[in-house]
Amino acid sequence: MGRDLLAALGVVVIWGLNFVAMKYSLRDFTPFQLGTLRYVFAVLPLMLFVKRPTLSWRWLVPAGLAQFGQFGLLFVALQIGMTAALASVLMQTQVFFTTLLGVVLLHERLSGPLRAGLALAAIGLGCFAANFVGGGATGGITLASLVLNLFAAAMWAASNIVARRAQRASPGYDPLQFVVWMSLVPILPFAVMAWLFDPPALRWQWTHASLGAWAGVAYLGWFATVVAYALWTSLLKRHPANRVAPFSLGVPIIGLAAGMLTLGERVSAWQWAGSGCVVAALAVVMFGGRMAARWFGSAIPSRG
């Protein structure tokens, strides 16, 4: 049990620091170069040892394209003004986008805690939007970076929906095989986008990147993608999801602290309020059902 707790905390730290690694690597790489290299590192050398999953490319390709959209948008957002601290919070809105897509595409039910969580998340986004009343960049981020970050979270949600439908089609597929082979898909579109949209003077700047920037790429590809995902999956295999999932609440906390301490980022009062609402919304979604059942269950007198 102690080892599993350490594994869960390790995943939280790895994913929380993930955004700092992105921000740091973007000093030497363009967003599309970073996307290309991230997935090259995620694929190599594991592809030589990990078998192709039993899933068809019908599922691998959409999942990979969703990843391309997610990180392409996120890397651009980080480059044009989004801070690592706030990106770690805003990406957690994928929970609510996943919920909405699940209702529309998978005909899943919208429970009471999910409704309350969505309402809190909407208030939180309103707090972020309050920074931009009157226009311009406020509190260290730009409106364009905020919008792109939210679209990136929506693409993460789309990836989740693909994974759920893949699970229905092939319940026994191996998640590690899935993530390694799916990582092949984004490499080509990222490389094409880099060639088409990066200024000619920057197309080969990756060859002059610092050792620290390359370390950031390795961290994103090997640790944030492969190691953390493998640990998380192993925890889900040994413990109920409702005991593992709450640890993800620690990701924005680590992300906020890391962004402020390592990059000197500042968080405005409105952004603190928005972050608090988003984290509270996640807590309501994860714990609200159990708390309501316990409270109302104890409030109803037993029949004897």
Side-chain angles (χ1 to χ4, degrees):
M1 187 63 181
R3 293 179 62 183
D4 285 347
L5 177 60
L6 288 176
L9 294 175
V11 172
V12 169
V13 172
I14 290 172
W15 280 344
L17 297 177
N18 180 45
F19 299 91
V20 172
M22 294 177 191
K23 196 78 173 178
Y24 193 84
S25 293
L26 284 169
R27 295 175 179 176
D28 287 359
F29 301 114
T30 69
F32 299 128
Q33 289 172 354
L34 181 57
T36 304
L37 294 170
R38 177 189 190 276
Y39 284 100
V40 168
F41 272 65
V43 167
L44 298 175
L46 285 176
M47 200 176 135
L48 302 176
F49 308 101
V50 177
K51 294 181 180 180
R52 192 172 76 82
T54 55
L55 286 170
S56 72
W57 287 100
R58 173 190 175 192
W59 302 111
L60 294 174
V61 171
L65 291 177
Q67 291 274 303
F68 162 68
Q70 174 188 338
F71 287 101
L73 291 167
L74 178 59
F75 291 163
V76 173
L78 287 167
Q79 189 183 56
I80 66 173
M82 178 54 62
T83 63
L86 294 177
S88 68
V89 176
L90 290 171
M91 285 305 292
Q92 303 311 310
T93 60
Q94 60 87 14
V95 172
F96 309 107
F97 286 117
T98 301
T99 298
L100 294 174
L101 289 175
V103 170
V104 174
L105 300 177
L106 303 180
H107 308 293
E108 297 175 346
R109 296 183 61 185
L110 194 61
S111 65
L114 284 172
R115 290 192 182 94
L118 287 170
L120 275 172
I123 294 172
L125 294 179
C127 292
F128 284 109
N131 279 285
F132 305 101
V133 175
T138 308
I141 64 174
T142 63
L143 180 58
S145 68
L146 174 64
V147 172
L148 288 175
N149 205 147
L150 291 174
F151 273 109
M155 293 303 297
W156 185 359
S159 178
N160 292 338
I161 296 298
V162 173
R164 285 187 187 179
R165 298 194 67 175
Q167 177 70 22
R168 291 182 180 181
S170 181
Y173 81 89
D174 185 287
L176 182 59
Q177 294 175 348
F178 178 76
V179 72
V180 170
W181 284 80
M182 174 272 295
S183 295
L184 273 174
V185 177
I187 294 175
L188 180 59
F190 265 123
V192 171
M193 293 292 283
W195 186 259
L196 291 178
F197 294 103
D198 286 350
L202 299 179
R203 285 178 180 171
W204 299 101
Q205 78 168 17
W206 61 273
T207 60
H208 305 289
S210 66
L211 184 61
W214 281 107
V217 173
Y219 183 91
L220 294 174
W222 292 336
F223 289 92
T225 301
V226 178
V227 173
Y229 191 88
L231 287 173
W232 192 255
T233 302
S234 67
L235 289 170
L236 289 172
K237 286 183 177 180
R238 291 195 298 273
H239 302 283
N242 59 9
R243 293 183 62 186
V244 177
F247 282 95
S248 67
L249 287 172
V251 173
I253 296 173
I254 297 295
L256 280 167
M260 296 171 67
L261 293 174
T262 63
L263 300 175
E265 297 175 345
R266 295 182 178 181
V267 181
S268 70
W270 278 114
Q271 291 165 358
W272 275 120
S275 299
C277 286
V278 171
V279 173
L282 291 168
V284 168
V285 171
M286 292 179 177
F287 303 115
R290 277 184 291 167
M291 292 179 65
R294 185 179 304 172
W295 192 87
F296 286 112
S298 62
I300 297 174
S302 60
R303 298 178 181 179

Coordinates of all heavy atoms in Angstrom, one line a residue, residues 213-273:
A213 N 16.8 22.2 -22.9 CA 15.6 22.0 -23.7 C 15.4 20.6 -24.1 O 14.3 20.1 -24.2 CB 15.8 22.9 -24.9
W214 N 16.5 19.9 -24.5 CA 16.4 18.5 -24.8 C 16.0 17.7 -23.6 O 15.3 16.7 -23.8 CB 17.7 18.0 -25.4 CG 18.0 18.4 -26.8 CD1 18.9 19.3 -27.3 CD2 17.3 17.9 -28.0 NE1 18.8 19.4 -28.6 CE2 17.9 18.6 -29.1 CE3 16.3 16.9 -28.2 CZ2 17.4 18.3 -30.4 CZ3 15.9 16.7 -29.5 CH2 16.4 17.3 -30.6
A215 N 16.5 18.0 -22.5 CA 16.1 17.3 -21.2 C 14.6 17.5 -21.0 O 13.9 16.6 -20.6 CB 16.8 17.9 -20.0
G216 N 14.0 18.7 -21.4 CA 12.6 18.9 -21.3 C 11.8 18.0 -22.2 O 10.8 17.5 -21.9
V217 N 12.3 17.8 -23.4 CA 11.7 17.0 -24.4 C 11.7 15.5 -23.9 O 10.7 14.8 -24.0 CB 12.4 17.0 -25.8 CG1 11.8 16.0 -26.7 CG2 12.2 18.4 -26.4
A218 N 12.8 15.1 -23.4 CA 12.9 13.7 -22.8 C 11.9 13.5 -21.7 O 11.3 12.5 -21.6 CB 14.3 13.4 -22.4
Y219 N 11.8 14.5 -20.9 CA 10.9 14.5 -19.7 C 9.5 14.3 -20.2 O 8.7 13.5 -19.7 CB 11.0 15.8 -18.9 CG 10.1 15.8 -17.7 CD1 10.6 15.3 -16.5 CD2 8.8 16.3 -17.7 CE1 9.8 15.3 -15.3 CE2 8.0 16.2 -16.6 CZ 8.5 15.8 -15.4 OH 7.7 15.8 -14.3
L220 N 9.1 15.1 -21.3 CA 7.7 15.1 -21.8 C 7.4 13.7 -22.4 O 6.4 13.2 -22.3 CB 7.5 16.2 -22.8 CG 7.6 17.6 -22.3 CD1 7.5 18.6 -23.5 CD2 6.4 17.9 -21.3
G221 N 8.4 13.2 -23.2 CA 8.2 12.0 -23.9 C 8.2 10.7 -23.1 O 7.4 9.8 -23.2
W222 N 9.3 10.6 -22.2 CA 9.5 9.4 -21.4 C 8.8 9.4 -20.1 O 8.1 8.5 -19.7 CB 11.0 9.2 -21.2 CG 11.7 8.9 -22.5 CD1 11.1 8.3 -23.6 CD2 13.1 9.1 -22.8 NE1 12.1 8.2 -24.6 CE2 13.3 8.6 -24.1 CE3 14.1 9.6 -22.1 CZ2 14.6 8.7 -24.7 CZ3 15.4 9.7 -22.6 CH2 15.6 9.2 -24.0
F223 N 8.9 10.5 -19.4 CA 8.3 10.5 -18.0 C 6.8 10.9 -18.0 O 6.0 10.2 -17.4 CB 9.1 11.5 -17.1 CG 10.5 11.0 -16.8 CD1 11.6 11.3 -17.6 CD2 10.7 10.2 -15.7 CE1 12.9 10.8 -17.3 CE2 12.0 9.7 -15.4 CZ 13.1 10.0 -16.2
A224 N 6.5 12.1 -18.6 CA 5.1 12.5 -18.5 C 4.2 11.6 -19.3 O 3.0 11.5 -19.0 CB 5.0 14.0 -19.0
T225 N 4.7 11.0 -20.4 CA 3.9 10.2 -21.2 C 3.9 8.7 -20.8 O 2.9 8.1 -20.4 CB 4.2 10.3 -22.7 OG1 4.1 11.7 -23.1 CG2 3.3 9.4 -23.6
V226 N 5.1 8.1 -20.8 CA 5.3 6.7 -20.7 C 5.3 6.3 -19.2 O 4.5 5.5 -18.7 CB 6.5 6.2 -21.4 CG1 6.7 4.7 -21.2 CG2 6.4 6.5 -22.9
V227 N 6.2 6.8 -18.4 CA 6.3 6.4 -17.0 C 5.1 6.7 -16.2 O 4.5 5.9 -15.5 CB 7.5 7.1 -16.4 CG1 7.6 6.8 -14.9 CG2 8.8 6.6 -17.0
A228 N 4.6 8.0 -16.3 CA 3.4 8.4 -15.5 C 2.2 7.6 -15.9 O 1.4 7.2 -15.1 CB 3.2 9.9 -15.6
Y229 N 2.0 7.4 -17.2 CA 0.9 6.7 -17.7 C 0.9 5.2 -17.3 O -0.1 4.7 -16.9 CB 0.8 6.8 -19.2 CG -0.5 6.3 -19.8 CD1 -1.6 7.2 -19.9 CD2 -0.7 5.0 -20.2 CE1 -2.8 6.7 -20.5 CE2 -1.9 4.5 -20.7 CZ -3.0 5.4 -20.8 OH -4.2 5.0 -21.3
A230 N 2.1 4.6 -17.3 CA 2.2 3.2 -16.9 C 1.9 3.1 -15.4 O 1.2 2.1 -15.0 CB 3.6 2.7 -17.2
L231 N 2.4 4.0 -14.6 CA 2.1 4.0 -13.1 C 0.7 4.1 -12.9 O 0.1 3.4 -12.0 CB 2.9 5.0 -12.4 CG 4.5 4.8 -12.3 CD1 5.1 6.0 -11.7 CD2 4.7 3.6 -11.4
W232 N 0.1 5.1 -13.5 CA -1.4 5.4 -13.3 C -2.2 4.2 -13.7 O -3.2 3.8 -13.0 CB -1.7 6.6 -14.2 CG -3.1 7.2 -13.8 CD1 -4.2 7.1 -14.6 CD2 -3.4 8.0 -12.7 NE1 -5.2 7.8 -14.0 CE2 -4.8 8.4 -12.8 CE3 -2.7 8.5 -11.6 CZ2 -5.4 9.2 -11.9 CZ3 -3.3 9.3 -10.7 CH2 -4.7 9.6 -10.8
T233 N -1.9 3.6 -14.8 CA -2.6 2.4 -15.3 C -2.5 1.2 -14.3 O -3.5 0.6 -14.0 CB -2.2 2.0 -16.7 OG1 -2.3 3.1 -17.6 CG2 -3.0 0.8 -17.2
S234 N -1.3 1.0 -13.8 CA -1.1 -0.1 -12.8 C -1.9 0.2 -11.5 O -2.4 -0.7 -10.9 CB 0.4 -0.2 -12.5 OG 0.9 0.9 -11.8
L235 N -2.0 1.4 -11.1 CA -2.8 1.8 -9.9 C -4.3 1.5 -10.2 O -5.0 0.9 -9.3 CB -2.6 3.2 -9.6 CG -1.3 3.6 -9.0 CD1 -1.1 5.1 -8.9 CD2 -1.1 3.0 -7.6
L236 N -4.8 1.8 -11.4 CA -6.2 1.6 -11.7 C -6.5 0.1 -11.8 O -7.6 -0.3 -11.6 CB -6.5 2.3 -13.0 CG -6.6 3.8 -13.0 CD1 -6.8 4.3 -14.4 CD2 -7.7 4.3 -12.1
K237 N -5.5 -0.7 -12.1 CA -5.7 -2.2 -12.2 C -5.8 -2.8 -10.8 O -6.4 -3.8 -10.6 CB -4.5 -2.8 -12.9 CG -4.6 -2.6 -14.5 CD -3.5 -3.4 -15.1 CE -3.6 -3.2 -16.6 NZ -2.5 -3.9 -17.3
R238 N -5.1 -2.2 -9.8 CA -5.1 -2.7 -8.4 C -6.1 -2.1 -7.5 O -6.4 -2.7 -6.4 CB -3.7 -2.6 -7.9 CG -2.6 -3.5 -8.5 CD -1.4 -3.6 -7.7 NE -0.7 -2.3 -7.5 CZ 0.2 -1.8 -8.4 NH1 0.5 -2.4 -9.5 NH2 0.7 -0.6 -8.1
H239 N -6.6 -0.9 -7.8 CA -7.5 -0.2 -6.9 C -8.7 0.3 -7.6 O -8.6 0.6 -8.8 CB -6.7 0.9 -6.2 CG -5.5 0.5 -5.4 ND1 -5.5 -0.1 -4.2 CD2 -4.2 0.6 -5.8 CE1 -4.3 -0.4 -3.8 NE2 -3.5 0.0 -4.7
P240 N -9.8 0.5 -6.9 CA -11.0 1.1 -7.6 C -10.6 2.5 -8.1 O -9.8 3.3 -7.5 CB -12.0 1.2 -6.4 CG -11.6 0.2 -5.4 CD -10.1 0.2 -5.5
A241 N -11.3 2.9 -9.2 CA -11.0 4.2 -9.9 C -11.3 5.3 -8.9 O -10.6 6.4 -9.0 CB -11.8 4.3 -11.2
N242 N -12.4 5.2 -8.1 CA -12.7 6.3 -7.2 C -11.7 6.5 -6.1 O -11.8 7.5 -5.4 CB -14.1 6.1 -6.7 CG -14.3 4.8 -5.8 OD1 -13.3 4.1 -5.6 ND2 -15.5 4.5 -5.5
R243 N -10.8 5.6 -5.9 CA -9.7 5.8 -4.9 C -8.5 6.4 -5.6 O -7.6 7.0 -4.9 CB -9.4 4.5 -4.3 CG -10.5 3.9 -3.4 CD -10.0 2.7 -2.7 NE -8.9 2.9 -1.8 CZ -8.2 1.9 -1.1 NH1 -8.6 0.7 -1.3 NH2 -7.2 2.2 -0.3
V244 N -8.3 6.1 -6.9 CA -7.1 6.6 -7.6 C -7.4 8.0 -8.2 O -6.5 8.9 -8.1 CB -6.8 5.6 -8.7 CG1 -5.6 6.2 -9.5 CG2 -6.5 4.3 -8.2
A245 N -8.5 8.2 -8.8 CA -8.8 9.5 -9.5 C -8.6 10.7 -8.7 O -8.1 11.7 -9.2 CB -10.2 9.4 -10.1
P246 N -9.0 10.8 -7.4 CA -8.8 12.0 -6.6 C -7.4 12.5 -6.5 O -7.2 13.7 -6.3 CB -9.3 11.6 -5.2 CG -10.3 10.5 -5.5 CD -9.7 9.7 -6.6
F247 N -6.4 11.7 -6.8 CA -5.0 12.2 -6.7 C -4.8 13.2 -7.8 O -3.8 14.0 -7.7 CB -4.1 11.0 -6.8 CG -3.9 10.2 -5.6 CD1 -4.6 9.1 -5.3 CD2 -3.0 10.6 -4.6 CE1 -4.5 8.4 -4.1 CE2 -2.8 9.9 -3.4 CZ -3.5 8.8 -3.2
S248 N -5.6 13.1 -8.9 CA -5.3 14.1 -10.0 C -5.6 15.5 -9.5 O -5.2 16.5 -10.2 CB -6.2 13.8 -11.2 OG -7.6 14.0 -10.9
L249 N -6.3 15.7 -8.4 CA -6.5 17.1 -7.9 C -5.2 17.7 -7.5 O -5.1 18.9 -7.4 CB -7.4 17.0 -6.6 CG -8.9 16.7 -6.9 CD1 -9.6 16.5 -5.6 CD2 -9.5 17.9 -7.6
G250 N -4.2 16.9 -7.2 CA -2.9 17.5 -6.9 C -2.1 18.0 -8.0 O -1.2 18.8 -7.8
V251 N -2.5 17.7 -9.3 CA -1.7 18.1 -10.4 C -1.7 19.7 -10.5 O -0.7 20.3 -10.7 CB -2.3 17.5 -11.7 CG1 -1.6 18.1 -13.0 CG2 -2.0 16.0 -11.7
P252 N -2.9 20.3 -10.5 CA -2.9 21.8 -10.6 C -2.2 22.5 -9.4 O -1.6 23.5 -9.6 CB -4.4 22.2 -10.7 CG -5.1 21.0 -10.1 CD -4.3 19.8 -10.5
I253 N -2.2 21.8 -8.2 CA -1.5 22.4 -7.1 C 0.0 22.4 -7.3 O 0.7 23.4 -7.1 CB -1.9 21.6 -5.8 CG1 -3.4 21.7 -5.5 CG2 -1.0 22.1 -4.6 CD1 -3.9 20.9 -4.4
I254 N 0.5 21.2 -7.8 CA 1.9 21.1 -8.1 C 2.3 22.1 -9.3 O 3.3 22.8 -9.2 CB 2.3 19.7 -8.5 CG1 2.1 18.7 -7.3 CG2 3.8 19.6 -9.0 CD1 3.0 19.0 -6.1
G255 N 1.4 22.1 -10.3 CA 1.6 23.0 -11.4 C 1.7 24.5 -11.0 O 2.6 25.2 -11.5
L256 N 0.8 24.9 -10.2 CA 0.8 26.3 -9.7 C 2.1 26.6 -9.0 O 2.7 27.6 -9.2 CB -0.4 26.6 -8.9 CG -1.8 26.8 -9.6 CD1 -2.9 26.8 -8.6 CD2 -1.8 28.2 -10.2
A257 N 2.4 25.7 -8.0 CA 3.6 26.0 -7.2 C 4.9 26.0 -8.1 O 5.7 26.8 -7.9 CB 3.7 24.9 -6.1
A258 N 5.0 25.0 -9.0 CA 6.2 24.9 -9.8 C 6.3 26.1 -10.7 O 7.4 26.6 -10.9 CB 6.1 23.6 -10.6
G259 N 5.2 26.6 -11.3 CA 5.3 27.7 -12.2 C 5.7 29.0 -11.5 O 6.5 29.8 -12.0
M260 N 5.2 29.1 -10.2 CA 5.6 30.3 -9.5 C 7.0 30.2 -9.0 O 7.7 31.2 -9.0 CB 4.6 30.5 -8.3 CG 3.2 30.8 -8.7 SD 2.0 30.7 -7.4 CE 2.5 32.1 -6.4
L261 N 7.5 29.1 -8.5 CA 8.8 28.9 -7.9 C 9.9 28.8 -8.9 O 11.0 29.4 -8.7 CB 8.8 27.7 -7.0 CG 7.9 27.8 -5.7 CD1 7.9 26.5 -5.0 CD2 8.4 28.9 -4.8
T262 N 9.7 28.1 -10.0 CA 10.8 27.9 -11.0 C 10.8 28.9 -12.1 O 11.9 29.2 -12.6 CB 10.7 26.5 -11.6 OG1 9.5 26.4 -12.4 CG2 10.7 25.4 -10.5
L263 N 9.6 29.4 -12.5 CA 9.6 30.4 -13.6 C 9.3 31.8 -13.2 O 9.2 32.7 -14.0 CB 8.6 29.9 -14.6 CG 8.8 28.5 -15.3 CD1 7.6 28.2 -16.2 CD2 10.1 28.5 -16.0
G264 N 9.0 32.0 -11.9 CA 8.7 33.3 -11.4 C 7.3 33.8 -11.9 O 7.1 35.1 -11.9
E265 N 6.4 32.9 -12.2 CA 5.1 33.4 -12.7 C 4.2 33.9 -11.5 O 4.4 33.5 -10.4 CB 4.4 32.2 -13.4 CG 5.1 31.7 -14.6 CD 4.5 30.4 -15.2 OE1 3.7 29.8 -14.5 OE2 4.8 30.1 -16.3
R266 N 3.4 34.8 -11.9 CA 2.5 35.4 -10.9 C 1.0 35.1 -11.2 O 0.7 34.9 -12.4 CB 2.6 37.0 -10.9 CG 4.0 37.4 -10.4 CD 4.1 39.0 -10.4 NE 5.4 39.4 -9.9 CZ 5.7 40.7 -9.7 NH1 4.8 41.6 -10.0 NH2 6.9 41.0 -9.3
V267 N 0.2 34.9 -10.2 CA -1.2 34.6 -10.3 C -2.0 35.7 -9.7 O -1.8 36.1 -8.5 CB -1.5 33.3 -9.6 CG1 -3.0 32.9 -9.8 CG2 -0.6 32.1 -10.2
S268 N -2.9 36.3 -10.5 CA -3.7 37.5 -10.0 C -4.8 37.0 -9.1 O -5.1 35.8 -9.0 CB -4.3 38.2 -11.2 OG -5.3 37.4 -11.9
A269 N -5.4 37.9 -8.5 CA -6.5 37.5 -7.6 C -7.7 36.8 -8.3 O -8.2 35.9 -7.8 CB -7.1 38.8 -6.9
W270 N -8.0 37.3 -9.5 CA -9.1 36.7 -10.3 C -8.7 35.3 -10.7 O -9.5 34.4 -10.8 CB -9.4 37.5 -11.5 CG -10.3 38.7 -11.3 CD1 -10.1 40.0 -11.4 CD2 -11.7 38.6 -10.9 NE1 -11.2 40.8 -11.1 CE2 -12.2 39.9 -10.8 CE3 -12.6 37.5 -10.7 CZ2 -13.5 40.2 -10.4 CZ3 -13.9 37.8 -10.3 CH2 -14.4 39.1 -10.2
Q271 N -7.4 35.1 -11.0 CA -6.9 33.8 -11.5 C -6.9 32.8 -10.3 O -7.2 31.7 -10.4 CB -5.5 33.9 -12.1 CG -5.6 34.7 -13.4 CD -4.2 35.1 -13.9 OE1 -3.2 34.9 -13.2 NE2 -4.2 35.7 -15.1
W272 N -6.6 33.3 -9.1 CA -6.7 32.5 -7.9 C -8.1 32.0 -7.7 O -8.4 30.9 -7.4 CB -6.1 33.2 -6.7 CG -4.7 33.2 -6.4 CD1 -3.8 34.2 -6.4 CD2 -3.9 32.0 -6.3 NE1 -2.5 33.8 -6.2 CE2 -2.5 32.4 -6.1 CE3 -4.1 30.6 -6.2 CZ2 -1.5 31.5 -5.9 CZ3 -3.1 29.7 -6.0 CH2 -1.8 30.2 -5.9
A273 N -9.0 33.0 -7.8 CA -10.4 32.7 -7.7 C -10.9 31.6 -8.7 O -11.6 30.7 -8.4 CB -11.3 33.9 -7.8

